[in-house]
Amino acid sequence: MSVLPPRSIAVVLGTRPELVKLTELTRLLGPAAWIVHTGQHYDEDMSGRFLAELGLPRPTFLTGVGGQPRAVQISAALAQLDELFSRERPRAVVVQGDTNAALAGALAANARGVPLCHVEAGLRSHDRAMPEEHNRVLIDRLADVLCAATPENRDNLLAEGLPADRIRVTGNTVVEAVRAHLPGARDREALLAPLGIRPDGYVLATVHRPENTDDPAALRAVLAELTALARTLPVVLPLHPRTRARIEAAGLTEALDVLRVTAPLGYAEFLGLARHAALLVSDSGGVQEETTVLGRPLVVVRNSTERPEAMAEFATLVRPGPELGAAARERLDRGAALRDRLADLPSPFGDGMASRRIADLLARTAAPAAAPSAPARPVAA
Ligand code: UD1
Ligand code: UDP
């Protein structure tokens, strides 16, 4: 990576999962990486703590983005990124996933004619109600280097007419993130004790999607199923700030009394708890991938998923309501037999080398000799 000048690869991110999934790539890029954090996530629990825990270099922070409506998040970040890139033009821009921060980064690269690399390209839920589906389709259209995590993701891109020579199947960088940050057995034991839980004896749940939080009926249904499960075994619920706000607004805080509610957890802490959970219940994208590395069963509470690779064996997809409780109990009843089976299955999301492959692709895209042949696009004044 030493051929690339310092700060020549702009890594634009803004949320917790992007911090997790871009850490190893940033480390491999070394001084060439220039992290620009849009500030979409801004609480210490959702951002600052992750920067420190993951050992990321200090980012350039944008302002006026966090807590704003989607269009404002994208437009405020885009305007500031354009200003930054006009002063200090990167040789390539990297974005990951499907957040508003990622779309802003992609648009900013495109506007300045800077080659764009999309990590986790080609995911599709085909669910137009999700802002993420629109974000990822748009980013893939703009990207020059499409890093598909799986062959299925590559096929989605090909089916949309994207040229094969822009696409590489790299694996998902989350695999190396889990391997690097899962605490050792003794540290994991120490994480469980303060919560009064024992290995294989609790459920770990996360909920933050608008489809589960912004609709009070769906939120009530999810909480009702989790509280019913809590009659059988402890349910640990690290609360995303969006979910906390919606629970308070809907007057549902009482439902939290029987759950082991925590603030958002640090990454190693969360992985440690996930590793020993009898079951996870979640609407998270990253958790769908991580459970396949950890070999733990998952119930996904969503209308759709863009990660079908995890379904059937590792996870099952349900809507909020009694279906959730039934699927959870079915998986819990299969107990150790199911967990042993999952522990033996390889993750469909890669071999732990995705970040290395992406770093190599970036080295080729942004190498001095390659710069003149970068895709020619009109450059704004
Ligand atoms: C965003 C992403 C989603 C991703 C999730 C990861 C989009 C469209 N959505 O959803 O794909 O799965 O991040 O967690 O980009 N809030 C705080 N403090 C914070 C962050 C958020 O209080 O540090 C609250 C604010 O009220 C904010 C709300 O949560 O308005 C939602 O945050 P936002 O970043 O817009 O969406 P997420 O639900 O976090
Ligand atoms: N995560 C965490 N602490 C928590 C909950 C989740 O570190 O309390 C991690 C989780 O392991 C995964 C990432 O955050 O790597 C997922 O973030 P989130 O579910 O918010 O977003 P998504 O993956 O759905 O976009």
Side-chain angles (χ1 to χ4, degrees):
M1 229 29 61
S2 54
V3 290
L4 295 175
R7 288 163 66 88
S8 56
I9 310 285
V11 180
V12 179
L13 45 73
T15 68
R16 170 169 73 182
E18 294 163 282
L19 292 167
V20 166
K21 290 180 175 178
L22 288 170
T23 289
E24 178 59 10
L25 176 62
T26 303
R27 194 186 68 75
L28 291 169
L29 290 173
W34 171 25
I35 299 189
V36 184
H37 191 311
T38 68
Q40 179 171 343
H41 283 177
Y42 49 92
D43 286 350
E44 177 61 21
D45 279 348
M46 298 293 288
S47 174
R49 174 217 294 213
F50 282 82
L51 288 165
E53 179 185 350
L54 300 170
L56 285 160
R58 188 172 164 71
T60 300
F61 283 101
L62 309 183
T63 57
V65 171
Q68 300 300 316
R70 177 163 174 245
V72 179
Q73 289 188 12
I74 297 165
S75 56
L78 177 56
Q80 292 170 74
L81 288 166
D82 190 55
E83 170 68 23
L84 282 180
F85 294 168
S86 74
R87 278 191 273 123
E88 187 176 349
R89 182 188 172 83
R91 290 189 179 198
V93 169
V94 181
V95 298
Q96 190 279 334
D98 49 29
T99 65
N100 298 332
L103 179 57
L107 290 167
N110 182 261
R112 290 271 160 200
V114 176
L116 172 68
C117 173
H118 187 200
V119 176
E120 215 176 76
L123 275 69
R124 294 291 181 270
S125 66
H126 305 290
D127 179 350
R128 287 172 52 81
M130 293 182 71
E132 290 84 356
E133 181 72 1
H134 298 276
N135 289 349
R136 58 173 86 96
V137 167
L138 293 168
I139 297 167
D140 284 337
R141 286 277 145 189
L142 300 174
D144 302 289
V145 182
L146 291 151
C147 302
T150 67
E152 288 84 349
N153 298 156
R154 178 198 52 208
D155 292 348
N156 287 337
L157 296 167
L158 292 172
E160 290 177 11
L162 287 161
D165 63 2
R166 269 190 233 158
I167 308 168
R168 292 288 178 279
V169 178
T170 57
N172 195 307
T173 60
V174 78
V175 177
E176 45 268 34
V178 173
R179 290 187 186 159
H181 297 282
L182 179 67
R186 196 163 288 195
D187 290 338
R188 297 201 300 266
E189 225 171 87
L191 289 171
L192 268 52
L195 288 161
I197 50 178
R198 14 171 220 87
D200 306 329
Y202 60 94
V203 173
L204 178 63
T206 78
V207 189
H208 75 281
R209 296 275 157 206
E211 68 192 59
N212 290 325
T213 57
D214 293 8
D215 169 4
L219 185 57
R220 192 175 300 110
V222 172
L223 290 173
E225 295 305 319
L226 292 180
T227 51
L229 276 178
R231 283 189 216 115
T232 323
L233 74 182
V235 176
V236 180
L237 178 67
L239 262 192
H240 189 289
R242 174 185 208 113
T243 315
R244 184 175 285 283
R246 298 298 187 270
I247 289 173
E248 283 165 10
L252 294 171
T253 47
E254 218 170 277
L256 301 180
D257 293 347
V258 293
L259 307 175
R260 316 235 167 152
V261 175
T262 73
L265 301 173
Y267 190 46
E269 204 177 350
F270 185 81
L271 288 179
L273 291 187
R275 170 67 183 78
H276 293 296
L279 176 77
L280 288 99
V281 174
S282 182
D283 57 13
S284 164
V287 171
Q288 287 176 61
E289 296 153 352
E290 287 162 348
T291 48
T292 69
V293 183
L294 298 169
R296 291 277 130 169
L298 169 68
V299 173
V300 179
V301 195
R302 294 258 300 261
N303 292 323
S304 60
T305 180
E306 58 291 310
R307 292 166 169 91
E309 299 90 341
M311 294 305 127
E313 295 277 16
F314 288 99
T316 182
L317 183 68
V318 300
R319 286 163 202 259
E323 221 188 312
L324 194 176
R329 276 182 282 276
E330 187 269 334
R331 298 219 137 208
L332 285 168
D333 286 348
R334 287 163 68 193
L338 176 61
R339 291 194 296 274
D340 290 348
R341 169 160 173 67
L342 297 184
D344 284 344
L345 289 177
S347 168
F349 294 106
D351 59 1
M353 295 298 288
S355 301
R356 165 53 65 196
R357 293 188 189 100
I358 296 165
D360 290 346
L361 285 168
L362 278 166
R364 286 204 286 280
T365 304
S373 63
R377 286 208 214 91
V379 176

